Amino acid sequence: MGGPEVERLIGLLSRLPGLGPRSARRAALKLLQQPETRMLPLAQALVDAGRAVRICQTCGNLDAQDPCAICGDPHRDRSLICVVEGVGDLWAIERAAAHRGLYHVLGGVLSPLGGVGPEDLNIQALLARLADGAVQEVILALGATVDGAATAHFLADRLGPSGVIVSRVAQGVPIGGALEVLDDGTLSTALRARRPA
Amino acid sequence: MGGPEVERLIGLLSRLPGLGPRSARRAALKLLQQPETRMLPLAQALVDAGRAVRICQTCGNLDAQDPCAICGDPHRDRSLICVVEGVGDLWAIERAAAHRGLYHVLGGVLSPLGGVGPEDLNIQALLARLADGAVQEVILALGATVDGAATAHFLADRLGPSGVIVSRVAQGVPIGGALEVLDDGTLSTALRARRPA
């Protein structure tokens, strides 16, 4: 419906995470009904953001400046680097204000089945950041998946010789989570990793 | 995160139906990571669709042509007009291939509380389309809400003198719907409107 231009728009919108074909159609319709106040501003915002944003050459974050606002912030703790799989993880931790140090974006996790090896990840740059001895701890904040765990294990091995403390985020019951809806793996982990009350 | 251009993009994306602040952030990140293959094509598609699409002066549909593809299709049954609240309803009925006649988009439903009166809806144009006597039936396909029902009632009164048959879409148990999850109103309606098996 609406002609080829609209079908193309719906197709592109439906590839966004969170939008299926149905909601993409609704979104396109909403935009079409408000071309001046919604459609063109969104087009302009896409172009502006695409022009403004670059990859931080230090940590791999996406920002309007390079080094990014975090790497350039003199108030962050430079002795602490939090290693994440992707920029989305970094943004999530920042939103939670859960980390006062710097970051390092791996750009993925090791995946033998997916054909992702150590040379495909941003590991050399991480090792280089440890060279001057200023970093004292590297926190591995990778997903609690098989590949995430394997990657954390691999990195812990690689980082060992540098002498930094290597730590991993805790796994267990998520805050606000009811035990009865948790999967078996989380329950087992939470019980095994129990701590004094 | 990501600078002011990214925050603005996230803000505009989060106003799309179906996308909340969280998914808008994920969508923006996805776009930023693929500027050439995703971001700029979407910006271009928005501009193209905004330029191409116009409102059909006959029925109120949105299409790349005016009269729209439906009004201009010689194979559609011109004796049958389906009245809908919005373009989204029209598209939904077309997707279902549930109607072989023409359409008329009201642009809303009567809403005393919302300050929407008959003069705010596309009703005069509907009456004008009945003037030459070619239309034999008007199907009111409005939502099963209080305002939708009131609007259907109002239109049935208004269309009465023109001599056309005025019908309403059936209400009842949706296809594939389990009875136990239906609301009371739908169950009552479905029982009252029962038909011989």
Side-chain angles (χ1 to χ4, degrees):
Chain A
M1 290 304 305
E5 293 86 358
V6 174
E7 288 301 334
R8 178 165 164 71
L9 175 60
I10 292 171
L12 285 167
L13 285 173
S14 70
R15 289 170 55 199
L16 293 179
L19 280 185
R22 254 189 129 80
S23 44
R25 199 168 284 275
R26 276 173 53 223
L29 189 52
K30 198 91 178 183
L31 290 167
L32 285 167
Q33 288 171 327
Q34 298 174 24
E36 298 301 324
T37 57
R38 290 225 185 185
M39 197 137 185
L40 296 182
L42 180 56
Q44 191 60 49
L46 286 162
V47 171
D48 291 347
R51 278 204 193 116
V53 168
R54 55 215 71 207
I55 298 171
C56 175
Q57 295 303 311
T58 307
C59 75
N61 188 16
L62 289 172
D63 200 0
Q65 57 201 78
D66 174 22
C68 73
I70 295 171
C71 285
D73 182 349
H75 301 297
R76 311 277 308 204
D77 183 347
R78 298 186 168 271
S79 71
L80 205 57
I81 290 185
C82 179
V83 175
V84 292
E85 177 176 345
V87 175
D89 304 318
L90 189 166
W91 289 9
I93 296 172
E94 278 299 291
R95 270 202 308 287
H99 176 62
R100 59 190 166 77
L102 305 178
Y103 290 92
H104 193 82
V105 178
L106 280 184
V109 285
L110 296 176
S111 171
L113 290 175
V116 181
E119 67 286 357
D120 300 312
L121 303 180
N122 200 13
I123 296 176
Q124 285 306 322
L126 174 60
L127 294 171
R129 290 177 73 183
L130 307 182
D132 68 359
V135 175
Q136 287 167 21
E137 182 177 355
V138 171
I139 305 169
L140 304 175
L142 302 173
T145 60
V146 173
D147 288 344
T151 307
H153 197 80
F154 178 87
L155 284 176
D157 274 357
R158 272 292 186 91
L159 297 173
S162 68
V164 296
I165 300 167
V166 181
S167 57
R168 292 173 56 174
V169 290
Q171 295 177 2
V173 181
I175 306 307
L179 264 76
E180 64 175 355
V181 300
L182 287 179
D183 61 291
D184 297 353
T186 301
L187 283 175
S188 308
T189 303
L191 284 168
R192 270 201 314 274
R194 65 191 177 280
R195 299 164 47 148
Chain B
M1 290 305 305
E5 294 86 359
V6 174
E7 288 301 333
R8 178 164 164 71
L9 174 61
I10 292 171
L12 286 166
L13 285 172
S14 71
R15 289 169 56 199
L16 293 179
L19 279 186
R22 254 189 129 78
S23 44
R25 198 167 284 274
R26 274 172 54 223
L29 188 54
K30 198 92 178 180
L31 290 166
L32 285 166
Q33 288 172 328
Q34 299 174 22
E36 297 302 323
T37 56
R38 290 225 183 185
M39 197 138 187
L40 296 180
L42 179 55
Q44 192 59 49
L46 286 162
V47 171
D48 291 347
R51 277 202 193 117
V53 168
R54 53 216 71 206
I55 299 171
C56 175
Q57 295 304 311
T58 307
C59 76
N61 188 15
L62 289 171
D63 200 1
Q65 56 200 79
D66 173 23
C68 74
I70 295 170
C71 285
D73 182 348
H75 301 298
R76 310 279 306 206
D77 184 346
R78 299 184 167 270
S79 71
L80 206 56
I81 290 184
C82 178
V83 175
V84 291
E85 176 176 345
V87 176
D89 304 317
L90 188 165
W91 289 8
I93 296 172
E94 277 300 291
R95 268 203 309 286
H99 176 62
R100 58 192 167 76
L102 305 178
Y103 291 93
H104 193 81
V105 178
L106 282 185
V109 286
L110 296 176
S111 171
L113 289 177
V116 182
E119 67 285 356
D120 299 311
L121 302 181
N122 200 12
I123 295 177
Q124 285 306 321
L126 174 61
L127 294 170
R129 290 178 73 182
L130 306 181
D132 68 358
V135 176
Q136 287 167 22
E137 182 177 353
V138 171
I139 305 169
L140 303 175
L142 302 173
T145 59
V146 172
D147 288 344
T151 307
H153 197 79
F154 177 87
L155 284 176
D157 275 359
R158 272 289 187 92
L159 297 173
S162 69
V164 296
I165 300 167
V166 181
S167 57
R168 292 174 56 175
V169 289
Q171 295 176 2
V173 181
I175 307 306
L179 264 76
E180 63 174 356
V181 299
L182 287 178
D183 61 292
D184 296 353
T186 301
L187 283 175
S188 307
T189 303
L191 284 168
R192 272 202 312 276
R194 64 191 178 277
R195 299 164 47 148

